Amino acid sequence: MPLWLLLALIVPLMLAAVNMIDKLVVERHVHTTLLYPFYVGIMEMLIATSVLATLFLTGIESANWSVIAGAIGMGSLRGLGLIFLVSALRLEQVSRVVAIWFLNPILVVGMAVVFLSESVSDLAIVAIVMASLGAGIVSWTGGESARKFMAPKVIALALFSALAWASANILTKQFVEDAPFWQFNFGSRVGFGMVMLILVLSSEVRRDVRTGWRSRPLWALFFLAEVIVTISLPLYYVAIKLGPVSLVSAVGAIQPLTVLIYSIGLALLFPATFGGWIARGKGKLVPQLIGTLVLAAGVSIVSVQ
């Protein structure tokens, strides 16, 4: 197996684990949903500071500040996307929210046509329909609310998150696609962290931040997520440097399916704790699995076009 393919497979497995941690934190370990991304913002700014030190050591005078500014914009959009995502995770099963959120590559295609004058093949159009159909099936099979469809608020939050992430990808392609890793990493983390720190304006965040830091389980999960994300970034960077970026992106489409598999595994191993993370009965779980597979296939096809 080529190294780039191995890395491309590892990254979505890691990011799916982060999705699971995000759900666990906002559902069980914080009273205020926005407290979690606020803590993420603090950590991102600390990491950005260490990256800045690396830039100084490697010669910051050679840094491309226009590229760093573009990366800050990209990071800000992804930070906004995370706020929407964790808000949706608080209300619904993680496997369903991530599936809807993973429509962001489809949104990228539409935005690329409008803003970058790119063309779309007939196969890509079919794939877009497939992905949309898969997302519809996932939302139709019902969730924690016991409705036939996911709550409109949850769908809207997941789609807003996907739109913010898609906008960040367009910005990346337009301004920072070929940026040196450390400059890109610094700018994106600064933008990501700044958006999160603005959450301190929320009275609920200011109230809970005084007590939230005392929770050992919260900080253990928080640091675990940060470690996974920090490791996954250079792995993904190496994967796209060694292999075709379209195929690396296509492999990444296994993330929503991986989240569903993780959810099923946890529900079977720890039913008392995670039983509500999957739909009960084959009549709901099987359609969700089929919808996730159709969505993943559609996203994969779009990625290689």
Side-chain angles (χ1 to χ4, degrees), residues 16-26 36 221-222 224-225 228:
V18 174
N19 294 144
M20 305 297 288
I21 293 172
D22 291 343
K23 170 65 173 177
L24 184 60
V25 168
V26 299
Y36 179 50
L221 291 169
F222 171 71
L224 178 59
I228 294 173

Side-chain angles (χ1 to χ4, degrees), residues 1 118 139 179 196 200 261 268:
M1 179 185 296
E118 295 186 0
S139 65
M196 301 302 174
V200 75
I261 293 173
L268 292 175

Side-chain angles (χ1 to χ4, degrees), residues 18 21-27 29-47 75-90 157 161 165 188-202 204-206 208-209 212 218-219 221-223 225-226:
V18 174
I21 293 172
D22 291 343
K23 170 65 173 177
L24 184 60
V25 168
V26 299
E27 183 180 81
H29 295 286
V30 292
H31 296 293
T32 301
T33 303
L34 297 182
L35 181 63
Y36 179 50
F38 176 72
Y39 283 147
V40 172
I42 295 175
M43 180 59 66
E44 289 296 311
M45 294 303 289
L46 291 174
I47 295 175
S76 300
L77 287 168
R78 290 193 173 178
L80 186 62
L82 179 63
I83 293 173
F84 287 129
L85 181 62
V86 297
S87 299
L89 289 175
R90 183 70 177 247
L157 287 169
S161 177
W165 214 265
S188 61
R189 286 188 180 278
V190 168
F192 199 86
M194 286 193 306
V195 169
M196 301 302 174
L197 293 183
I198 292 175
L199 295 175
V200 75
L201 297 176
S202 167
E204 294 181 342
V205 170
R206 292 197 305 272
D208 291 348
V209 74
L218 169 60
W219 281 103
L221 291 169
F222 171 71
F223 280 117
E226 283 295 321

Side-chain angles (χ1 to χ4, degrees), residues 87-262:
S87 299
L89 289 175
R90 183 70 177 247
L91 303 172
E92 184 56 81
Q93 294 170 356
V94 58
S95 57
R96 299 186 188 281
V97 172
V98 171
I100 301 299
W101 173 81
F102 224 78
L103 285 173
N104 70 82
I106 304 301
L107 299 176
V108 168
V109 174
M111 296 175 71
V113 171
V114 175
F115 297 109
L116 303 180
S117 300
E118 295 186 0
S119 59
V120 180
S121 66
D122 293 338
L123 181 59
I125 294 175
V126 172
I128 291 171
V129 173
M130 286 178 58
S132 302
L133 177 62
I137 295 173
V138 169
S139 65
W140 175 79
T141 49
E144 294 170 359
S145 59
R147 303 180 181 185
K148 290 185 178 180
F149 285 88
M150 288 165 54
K153 179 180 179 180
V154 177
I155 296 175
L157 287 169
L159 287 177
F160 279 134
S161 177
L163 181 61
W165 214 265
S167 301
N169 289 340
I170 289 293
L171 193 62
T172 301
K173 183 176 180 62
Q174 187 76 353
F175 296 105
V176 295
E177 187 174 29
D178 299 320
F181 175 73
W182 289 113
Q183 295 183 33
F184 174 80
N185 190 270
F186 168 70
S188 61
R189 286 188 180 278
V190 168
F192 199 86
M194 286 193 306
V195 169
M196 301 302 174
L197 293 183
I198 292 175
L199 295 175
V200 75
L201 297 176
S202 167
S203 59
E204 294 181 342
V205 170
R206 292 197 305 272
R207 180 196 65 205
D208 291 348
V209 74
R210 301 170 186 172
T211 57
W213 64 270
R214 300 174 184 171
S215 172
R216 291 184 179 180
L218 169 60
W219 281 103
L221 291 169
F222 171 71
F223 280 117
L224 178 59
E226 283 295 321
V227 168
I228 294 173
V229 170
T230 301
I231 294 174
S232 69
L233 287 175
L235 292 182
Y236 181 76
Y237 185 82
V238 173
I240 62 176
K241 287 295 183 181
L242 297 178
V245 63
S246 59
L247 294 182
V248 172
S249 300
V251 173
I254 67 172
Q255 185 175 336
L257 178 61
T258 304
V259 170
L260 178 57
I261 293 173
Y262 286 168

